[in-house]
Amino acid sequence: MWQGRPPLWSVPPAGLGTAAPMPTPPARSGMRAGWVVIAIVAAIAAVALIGTVAANRTMTVTGSVTIYGMYGAVSPGSSCSNTAVTGMPVTIHDAAGDLVGTATLTGYGTARNTWSSYSYGYADSCQYAFTMSDVAASDHYLVKSGRSNGDGVGFTREEIESNGAHITLR
């Protein structure tokens, strides 16, 4: 039927005979299996990394310690100071009781009329601010101030994240 040169197509046009056998594609090498193994190993490594990062998550805690005391004729909102407060430690413990953050008070704060215990509108307490960086994440915290081993004040992580850690000492 075909004389001379072979046709340029592998299947003859309709009605011109039977189709020539199609060549089989070359066999795949083992590369596909190699990529599957690499993908699985990468997925396992990613899950392990995410777990490590989540377990080592930290946050910054801001708060204040309000200390009751006589501050004389100091108006609320003005500066107040107390040398006994300078260097006073503030600690934060996680739910397991482990120490996860520390700060020290400066001794300078803001006068407050917390309990309205003084007449004439004078301050009856002084509020000292603090900041703790790299506090390990936990669901519950216990914040303490001073050098004693008192009970401290409990907070949830959500409370600290939204409002800060504010405690009062009398």
Side-chain angles (χ1 to χ4, degrees):
M1 187 161 152
W2 298 100
Q3 304 273 334
R5 267 183 340 149
L8 297 176
W9 58 84
S10 61
V11 178
L16 294 179
T18 61
M22 294 293 290
T24 58
R28 292 183 182 236
S29 67
M31 289 299 292
R32 180 178 224 177
W35 283 111
V36 169
V37 169
I38 290 172
I40 291 172
V41 169
I44 292 170
V47 168
L49 179 63
I50 290 169
T52 301
V53 169
N56 293 328
R57 191 178 69 184
T58 62
M59 62 186 211
T60 298
V61 174
T62 59
S64 65
V65 176
T66 301
I67 300 176
Y68 177 79
M70 295 180 57
Y71 290 95
V74 178
S75 298
S78 62
S79 178
C80 54
S81 65
N82 187 333
T83 56
V85 175
T86 302
M88 180 183 286
V90 179
T91 58
I92 187 167
H93 301 264
D94 65 8
D98 296 327
L99 180 66
V100 293
T102 61
T104 55
L105 300 179
T106 64
Y108 293 95
T110 304
R112 308 251 335 218
N113 193 6
T114 307
W115 296 279
S116 299
S117 57
Y118 291 116
S119 58
Y120 309 112
Y122 293 128
D124 59 10
S125 62
C126 191
Q127 185 178 52
Y128 303 91
F130 66 86
T131 300
M132 295 181 198
S133 300
D134 298 324
V135 174
S138 178
D139 290 333
H140 298 282
Y141 295 98
L142 188 64
V143 179
K144 298 179 181 184
S145 181
R147 289 170 176 74
S148 68
N149 292 329
D151 293 336
V153 178
F155 294 93
T156 65
R157 182 180 64 223
E158 292 80 20
E159 289 172 329
I160 287 180
E161 288 175 339
S162 62
N163 300 320
H166 304 283
I167 61 175
T168 302
L169 301 178
R170 276 194 99 145

